[in-house]
């Protein structure tokens, strides 16, 4: 198998796009696994075949935009042909369409923010003019020039759903781009499932014409075939499989391990301790503070051992909590231009999780704290494996929340889903709920082997194949199952403890209520109407939650509290034909 065999066929893909354009199709989604050349198709084929085309690219992260822009500048064909391909982040759409200020006014606010942030490095007049020009150029592109394009490339198009849970503008961004119907829009993604679901609902709600609906292309061949061979007298079929190259490649390039949350910190320490320039670790953190602490420990190791290169911390340049001050700009540029980093440990947030490439055979381990499939797959896809010169698969460690947290997250996500009318956010929340549900599912597969639903789904999405004839080695499933059993036992123990505490508290409150009632009615002779009032105040109920009215039934409950109700008829006097009741304490009964 060669690397070329698992790339998309750019020529065939280009011909498919041309055919769709001839039919008037303007919205084309290209779905193919990571590392199969979707972006290379743009540079190496689409641009070369149509060098006079007006093309622009949208990216979902500033770091990815920088890497894409650098590729454009370095591409030899584009240098010779002097082709210009502007590159933007999706997020600038709402800023450019904001009518509250002019582009120059927005630029001046941005300049003031920069100068306030770093008073030691104030911008000079020329730099300020450059920023103002960039703001004006961007606004002009978004408002006017976008409609004059031939192709709009929407790289990492899953942005519209993945970012929707924390960015309310993604639906507006999609709608604005989608409605530019003169432009052929190519949506590129390795994780299309949730986005497609949201788009189909968008098309229904907006009565999108059939010709304008998004067409899905899956250009990587899925050449799994089955041949039936007949052997023996009974001619029993023997199945021989020929796997797709992407499955073989993935199986040889990755091993997976699942780690329970309670073991995560210890394991991270172990992974840190063995990190060195020949065995690098990338840690995708969900918690910037914890990630920053690990980065600090990596830096501390460098001070003790000069052969080590320490840590690198990457987050959004626009982080509001001050973590962006610790970004190493030189190494950030190194990632953009050279697709590698000069550290033993890279700690990063989602700033790196989409589209950015790391081509470094010394990166041998990835640690992920993410359970949604699309985010996990994007994180895995950051490390390019095709050019790794030796057979050293990347070991992927995925930290899984404890069982109680999984249940709580499902409840929270379902509540959030019920509160939103944003179809992109709703689709993303539904996908996240499904991932958490899959985390709870274990079953016995072939050869009585314990299998994990989450891993099977992750692997299927990662390779974009329903077949799993060749599957990467996976560790930790038995251990995770045992940890979940401990979690469930602990949940049940806590539940029973709470129930006992609740029963004890209810009994105490009931005893106090009975004592108060006894102080009003105790040791007195009560007629029927007074007994009825007493029975109502005692408020004992049967299993159907109906009030008990019979003194015998009430006594069955009262006995537990050291009281009872006597019933008798007087032997003389006017009341001798009437039943008398008496609320008394039982002798010899020791109450708590």
């Amino acid at each position: 198998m060669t690397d070329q065999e698992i790339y998309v066929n750019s020529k065939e893909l280009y011909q498919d796009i041309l055919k769709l354009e001839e039919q008037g199709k303007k919205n084309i989604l290209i779905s193919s696994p990571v590392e199969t050349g979707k972006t290379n198709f743009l540079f190496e084929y689409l641009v070369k075949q149509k060098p006079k085309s007006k093309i622009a690219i949208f990216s979902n992260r500033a770091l990815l935009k920088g890497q894409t822009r650098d590729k454009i500048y370095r591409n030899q064909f584009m240098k010779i042909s002097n082709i210009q391909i502007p590159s933007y982040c999706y997020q600038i759409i709402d800023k450019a369409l904001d009518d509250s200020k002019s582009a120059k006014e927005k630029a001046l606010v941005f300049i003031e923010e920069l100068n306030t942030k770093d008073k030691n490095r104030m911008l000079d007049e020329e730099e300020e003019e450059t920023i103002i020009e960039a703001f004006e150029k961007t606004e002009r592109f978004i408002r006017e020039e976008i409609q004059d394009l031939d192709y709009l490339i929407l790289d990492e198009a899953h942005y519209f759903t993945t970012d929707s849970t924390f960015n309310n503008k993604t639906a507006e961004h999609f709608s604005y781009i989608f409605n530019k119907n003169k432009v052929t829009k190519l949506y590129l993604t390795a994780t299309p499932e949730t986005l497609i679901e949201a788009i189909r609902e968008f098309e229904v709600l907006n009565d999108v014409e059939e010709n304008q609906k998004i067409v899905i292309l899956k250009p990587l061949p899925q050449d799994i075939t089955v041949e039936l061979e007949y052997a023996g007298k009974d001619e029993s079929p023997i199945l021989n499989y020929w796997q797709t190259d992407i499955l073989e490649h993935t199986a040889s390039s990755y091993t997976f391990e699942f780690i329970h949350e309670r073991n995560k910190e210890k394991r991270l320490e172990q992974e840190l301790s063995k990190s060195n320039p020949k065995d690098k670790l990338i840690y995708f953190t969900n918690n910037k503070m914890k990630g920053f602490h690990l980065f600090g420990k990596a830096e501390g190791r460098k001070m003790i051992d000069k052969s080590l290169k320490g840590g690198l911390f990457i987050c959004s340049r626009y982080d509001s909590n001050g973590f962006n001050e610790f970004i190493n700009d030189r190494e950030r540029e190194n990632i953009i231009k050279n697709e590698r980093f000069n550290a033993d440990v890279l700690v990063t947030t989602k700033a790196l999780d989409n589209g950015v490439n790391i081509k470094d055979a010394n990166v041998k381990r990835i640690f992920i704290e993410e359970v949604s499939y699309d985010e996990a797959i994007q994180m895995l896809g950051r490390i390019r494996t095709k050019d790794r010169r030796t057979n050293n698969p990347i070991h992927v460690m995925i930290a899984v929340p404890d069982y109680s947290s999984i249940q709580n997250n499902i409840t929270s996500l379902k509540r959030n889903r019920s509160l939103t009318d944003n179809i992109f956010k709703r689709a993303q929340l539904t996908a996240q709920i499904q991932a958490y549900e899959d985390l709870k599912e274990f079953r016995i597969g072939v050869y009585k082997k314990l299998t994990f639903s989450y891993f099977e789904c992750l692997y299927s999405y990662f390779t974009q194949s329903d077949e799993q004839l060749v599957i990467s080695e996976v560790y930790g499933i038995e251990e995770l199952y045992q940890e979940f059993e401990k979690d469930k036992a602990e949940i049940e123990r806590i539940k029973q403890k709470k129930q006992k505490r609740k029963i004890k508290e209810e009994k105490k409150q009931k005893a106090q209520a009975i004592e108060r009632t006894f102080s009003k009615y105790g040791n007195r002779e009560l007629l029927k109407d007074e007994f009825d009032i007493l029975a109502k105040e005692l408020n004992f109920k049967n299993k159907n939650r109906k009030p008990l009215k019979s003194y015998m039934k009430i006594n069955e409950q009262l006995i537990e509290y050291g009281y009872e109700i006597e019933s008798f008829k007087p032997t003389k006097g006017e009341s001798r034909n009437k039943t008398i009741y008496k609320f008394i304490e039982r002798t010899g009964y020791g109450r708590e």
Side-chain angles (χ1 to χ4, degrees):
M1 180 192 71
T2 65
D3 287 347
Q4 186 60 39
E5 288 174 315
I6 53 175
Y7 278 105
V8 298
N9 186 315
S10 293
K11 183 177 181 180
E12 288 184 7
L13 177 58
Y14 179 63
Q15 293 300 324
D16 287 342
I17 291 170
L18 291 181
K19 289 176 185 176
L20 290 171
E21 287 187 290
E22 287 174 6
Q23 298 168 22
K25 307 290 186 181
K26 294 294 184 181
N27 295 286
I28 303 166
L29 188 148
I30 301 171
S31 169
S32 188
V34 294
E35 278 198 283
T36 52
K38 295 182 296 297
T39 309
N40 283 338
F41 156 75
L42 164 67
F43 295 117
E44 301 302 327
Y45 211 89
L46 184 64
V47 174
K48 288 182 180 180
Q49 292 295 318
K50 288 193 170 184
K52 294 183 180 180
S53 295
K54 294 180 181 178
I55 300 174
I57 301 175
F58 274 104
S59 304
N60 65 338
R61 297 286 184 268
L63 199 60
L64 173 58
K65 181 188 75 174
Q67 198 170 75
T68 302
R69 188 171 287 174
D70 187 69
K71 283 182 179 179
I72 294 170
Y73 290 153
R74 286 192 295 164
N75 188 284
Q76 212 47 41
F77 177 79
M78 294 181 189
K79 283 182 180 179
I80 296 170
S81 306
N82 194 28
I83 294 174
Q84 301 296 316
I85 300 182
S87 177
Y88 300 96
C89 283
Y90 293 107
Q91 292 85 344
I92 59 100
I93 294 175
D94 57 282
K95 290 184 175 64
L97 295 179
D98 178 11
D99 291 322
S100 62
K101 295 183 180 71
S102 68
K104 184 175 182 179
E105 289 171 328
K106 295 170 193 173
L108 292 174
V109 171
F110 180 71
I111 289 167
E112 185 179 353
E113 289 174 353
L114 289 178
N115 288 335
T116 303
K117 182 179 177 182
D118 189 354
K119 295 185 180 298
N120 297 320
R121 169 63 174 90
M122 303 291 283
L123 297 173
D124 59 33
E125 187 174 339
E126 185 177 345
E127 289 171 323
E128 290 185 0
E129 281 299 318
T130 301
I131 291 173
I132 292 170
E133 287 177 14
F135 268 74
E136 290 175 338
K137 182 180 179 182
T138 298
E139 188 160 308
R140 191 163 54 250
F141 170 78
I142 295 298
R143 289 178 179 270
E144 302 167 15
E145 295 171 2
I146 190 173
Q147 188 63 61
D148 296 327
L149 294 173
D150 296 301
Y151 292 100
L152 182 58
I153 310 301
L154 304 166
D155 201 10
E156 308 298 336
H158 48 267
Y159 153 82
F160 298 110
T161 46
T162 55
D163 283 29
S164 64
T165 55
F166 57 87
N167 181 355
N168 291 327
K169 298 285 188 176
T170 64
E172 294 177 25
H173 297 166
F174 178 85
S175 182
Y176 183 78
I177 289 170
F178 185 87
N179 289 320
K180 302 300 174 186
N181 289 323
K182 293 181 181 179
V183 185
T184 297
K185 296 172 284 293
L186 303 179
Y187 302 75
L188 310 182
T189 179
T191 51
E193 291 80 10
T194 306
L195 175 62
I196 290 170
E197 182 180 336
I199 288 173
R200 291 307 183 213
E201 187 172 353
F202 173 89
E203 290 170 343
V204 171
L205 292 174
N206 291 276
D207 295 322
V208 174
E209 294 179 10
E210 193 65 33
N211 209 40
Q212 293 303 318
K213 290 181 180 179
I214 286 186
V215 180
I216 301 166
L217 293 179
K218 292 191 175 184
L220 188 70
Q222 297 290 317
D223 292 329
I224 295 179
T225 58
V226 178
E227 180 179 291
L228 297 181
E229 290 185 352
Y230 294 91
K233 293 180 180 179
D234 61 353
E235 296 188 340
S236 299
I238 299 173
L239 301 184
N240 286 339
Y241 296 98
W242 284 263
Q243 295 84 14
T244 55
D245 291 319
I246 188 66
L247 284 168
E248 291 179 350
H249 175 77
T250 304
S252 63
S253 301
Y254 300 89
T255 58
F256 292 84
E257 181 177 3
F258 292 92
I259 299 164
H260 189 278
E261 176 70 25
R262 70 168 59 92
N263 302 320
K264 182 183 74 176
E265 298 302 327
K266 181 180 178 181
R267 184 56 180 274
L268 274 171
E269 291 286 347
Q270 292 172 349
E271 296 303 316
L272 174 65
S273 67
K274 66 183 185 184
S275 298
N276 61 67
K278 297 293 183 182
D279 190 354
K280 297 181 181 182
L281 168 70
I282 296 182
Y283 170 36
F284 286 96
T285 181
N286 281 342
N287 186 308
K288 278 178 279 194
M289 181 59 75
K290 288 185 177 180
F292 184 74
H293 284 161
L294 192 80
F295 155 71
K297 289 178 181 179
E299 285 291 89
R301 291 176 73 238
K302 180 175 68 173
M303 297 174 67
I304 298 170
D305 185 344
K306 299 304 180 184
S307 68
L308 301 178
K309 294 190 176 181
L312 175 63
F313 185 82
I314 297 286
C315 67
S316 169
R317 275 185 161 170
Y318 307 102
D319 178 73
S320 59
N321 296 314
F323 288 99
N324 51 0
E325 294 179 16
F326 300 95
I327 297 173
N328 185 320
D329 289 327
R330 184 177 62 186
E331 280 302 308
R332 189 176 184 277
E333 283 299 304
N334 192 21
I335 290 174
I336 289 173
K337 293 181 177 179
N338 302 314
E339 300 180 327
R340 59 185 60 242
F341 58 91
N342 192 33
D344 305 325
V345 177
L346 168 58
V347 177
T348 179
T349 62
K350 292 182 179 181
L352 193 73
D353 75 351
N354 278 268
V356 175
N357 299 335
I358 300 292
K359 294 180 179 178
D360 187 347
N362 291 322
V363 175
K364 298 180 179 177
R365 291 162 295 132
I366 307 175
F367 200 105
I368 295 174
E369 293 178 332
E370 180 59 54
V371 295
S372 62
Y373 292 122
D374 39 23
E375 294 286 5
I377 290 166
Q378 290 299 327
M379 290 172 187
L380 295 178
R382 303 297 45 86
I383 315 305
R384 299 297 161 159
T385 58
K386 289 187 184 157
D387 297 326
R388 295 168 78 89
R389 301 252 191 298
T390 57
N391 184 23
N392 56 344
I394 298 168
H395 189 56
V396 179
M397 293 158 281
I398 302 178
V400 178
D402 63 66
Y403 198 87
S404 179
S405 296
I406 290 173
Q407 294 281 59
N408 292 338
N409 285 333
I410 291 172
T411 301
S412 176
L413 289 167
K414 285 182 176 179
R415 182 172 59 251
N416 290 340
R417 184 176 62 181
S418 70
L419 296 174
T420 185
D421 57 1
N422 182 326
I423 59 175
F424 290 87
K425 184 175 182 179
R426 189 163 59 239
Q428 184 65 22
L429 291 172
T430 299
Q432 289 177 344
I433 290 166
Q434 186 57 57
Y436 277 109
E437 292 285 4
D438 291 341
L439 282 174
K440 300 188 297 180
E441 295 298 322
F442 295 84
R443 60 186 179 81
I444 302 298
V446 293
Y447 308 116
K448 297 184 178 179
K449 184 178 180 181
L450 187 68
T451 61
F452 188 22
S453 293
Y454 178 85
F455 174 70
E456 291 181 337
C457 291
L458 178 68
Y459 203 76
S460 177
Y461 287 141
F462 190 42
T463 59
Q464 291 197 13
S465 172
D466 293 332
E467 303 290 344
Q468 294 187 357
L469 307 173
V470 176
I471 199 163
S472 294
E473 203 161 354
V474 59
Y475 305 91
I477 291 179
E478 289 278 357
E479 292 81 358
L480 183 62
Y481 177 76
Q482 294 301 325
E483 294 291 351
F484 272 13
E485 290 301 299
K486 290 179 188 176
D487 288 346
K488 287 188 276 189
E490 179 64 11
I491 291 169
E492 186 59 30
R493 187 190 69 80
I494 292 172
K495 181 180 177 181
Q496 291 180 1
K497 188 176 180 180
K498 285 182 178 178
Q499 185 63 21
K500 287 180 181 179
R501 190 184 301 125
K502 180 182 178 183
I503 292 171
K504 186 176 181 180
E505 183 60 29
E506 288 176 349
K507 185 176 178 181
K508 180 181 177 182
Q509 292 175 2
K510 189 67 175 178
Q512 292 171 346
I514 292 171
E515 287 180 15
R516 290 193 296 270
T517 304
F518 184 78
S519 67
K520 291 167 63 177
Y521 299 99
N523 296 318
R524 290 170 43 199
E525 291 187 354
L526 308 172
L527 295 175
K528 181 66 170 62
D529 57 343
E530 292 176 298
F531 167 75
D532 290 341
I533 296 172
L534 169 63
K536 189 175 182 180
E537 287 198 24
L538 287 173
N539 196 29
F540 286 114
K541 295 177 181 177
N542 62 18
K543 62 181 180 181
N544 296 320
R545 307 301 297 165
K546 291 184 178 180
L548 297 178
K549 298 179 180 180
S550 160
Y551 85 93
M552 288 184 290
K553 290 293 183 182
I554 292 173
N555 275 340
E556 290 175 5
Q557 304 291 330
L558 272 176
I559 191 172
E560 185 179 354
Y561 298 92
Y563 296 92
E564 70 175 326
I565 296 173
E566 292 182 340
S567 172
F568 59 91
K569 291 184 181 292
T571 56
K572 57 182 180 178
E574 292 182 5
S575 301
R576 64 180 180 273
N577 293 322
K578 296 180 179 180
T579 302
I580 303 295
Y581 302 90
K582 201 169 192 180
F583 187 16
I584 64 171
E585 290 185 271
R586 287 173 58 86
T587 57
Y589 183 90
R591 292 189 297 276
E592 294 182 3

